[in-house]
Amino acid sequence: MVSPKLSAALIALGFLSVSAQAAAPVTGRWTTQSKDGVVEIYECGATICGKLAKFLVPPPNGVGQKDVNNPNRALRSRTLLGMNILTGFKEAGDEWKGQIYDPKSGKTYRSIIYKGKSGNLVVKGCIGPFCQAQTWTPAR
């Protein structure tokens, strides 16, 4: 038989291990690795989304740049500024999983994001088992 004190200690350890697995919050404003834009990550319903909030380097057609590289012709008239490029992110252990849209290529990728130890945001775009990571920094 387990003593009540030992039982309480084991339960407390169980809660600690569950909370250690929780993903760190990723909401806020982040400067992309290429330093050409700021993405604002926010709660959107039951998921996390991220929109292009600011251009730090104006795109070729100015701040009104349209989504000209989108393979869907019907979406090419969308303005990039304010458009969600991160969608459907759900907490999965110590990271968030969803999709990322790259307006430069017009492609959408499976994505994983999480806060790194330095407080920066690690953003991965994946094709199959292969992922490429970027580091985004908190925007000022």
Side-chain angles (χ1 to χ4, degrees):
M1 178 166 193
V2 178
S3 76
K5 286 184 180 180
L6 181 56
S7 252
L10 290 173
I11 290 170
L13 283 174
F15 283 124
L16 286 175
S17 66
V18 169
S19 65
Q21 295 291 331
V26 294
T27 54
R29 293 170 60 90
W30 301 93
T31 301
T32 60
Q33 181 171 300
S34 57
K35 300 196 182 344
D36 57 359
V38 173
V39 176
E40 181 179 346
I41 299 178
Y42 62 97
E43 292 181 19
C44 58
T47 64
I48 299 288
C49 297
K51 65 182 174 184
L52 185 55
K54 181 180 181 181
F55 289 117
L56 298 175
V57 175
N61 294 325
V63 294
Q65 175 77 45
K66 303 293 183 194
D67 190 15
V68 295
N69 296 317
N70 197 303
N72 182 340
R73 289 184 185 274
L75 299 177
R76 291 182 185 166
S77 62
R78 298 186 301 179
T79 302
L80 292 181
L81 196 60
M83 185 177 77
N84 279 336
I85 61 168
L86 301 173
T87 55
F89 279 82
K90 294 183 179 180
E91 191 171 355
D94 60 354
E95 56 194 20
W96 299 84
K97 294 183 177 182
Q99 294 187 317
I100 187 168
Y101 175 69
D102 174 15
K104 291 178 182 173
S105 69
K107 295 184 179 179
T108 300
Y109 302 96
R110 182 174 56 85
S111 182
I112 300 166
I113 59 176
Y114 58 90
K115 264 221 187 129
K117 290 180 180 165
S118 65
N120 291 332
L121 189 69
V122 177
V123 180
K124 294 182 179 181
C126 307
I127 299 176
F130 304 103
C131 297
Q132 184 171 2
Q134 290 189 359
T135 301
W136 294 2
T137 56
R140 298 169 203 220

